[in-house]
Amino acid sequence: MTYIVTDNCIACKYTDCVEVCPVDCFYEGENMLVIHPDECIDCGVCEPECPADAIRPDTEPDMEKWVEFNRKYSEAWPVIITKKDPLPEAEERDGETEKLEKYFSETPGEGG
């Protein structure tokens, strides 16, 4: 099992999760985070820290595409280990549907 980030992170990008990760397996895009599924040690401490409920175990139904999504972008984006402010529109975008199609950016974040 591993944990992965789903589309509810898009346009929110809360970073509470990165501070508790013991193996620094979060990677930052311009408007979301991902978890490297091969680096995650399945400890689960990040899941309850996410205000947007965007972190899920890969054992839930239909998570295969998100495992591959997280793998792809964790190999392209910089690691993030420091908490940052969420995106300005985070509260209004939290829980919105179809965020992948509407807002996702492949652009890397700053990391750090």
Side-chain angles (χ1 to χ4, degrees), residues 2 5-6 9 20 22 44 55 61 71 87 95 98 101 111:
T2 188
V5 180
T6 62
C9 184
V20 299
I55 300 173
R71 178 175 281 111
L87 295 176
E98 300 177 10
E101 295 81 10

Side-chain angles (χ1 to χ4, degrees), residues 55-74:
I55 300 173
R56 313 301 312 156
D58 71 344
T59 53
E60 290 187 358
D62 303 318
M63 287 295 143
E64 297 83 15
K65 72 175 185 178
W66 288 108
V67 172
E68 291 312 311
F69 181 95
N70 276 249
R71 178 175 281 111
K72 176 182 177 178
Y73 290 104
S74 65

Side-chain angles (χ1 to χ4, degrees), residues 3 17 20-22 42-50:
Y3 285 85
C17 52
V20 299
C21 181
D42 314 327
C43 68
V45 297
C46 59
E47 186 180 20
E49 296 298 318
C50 180

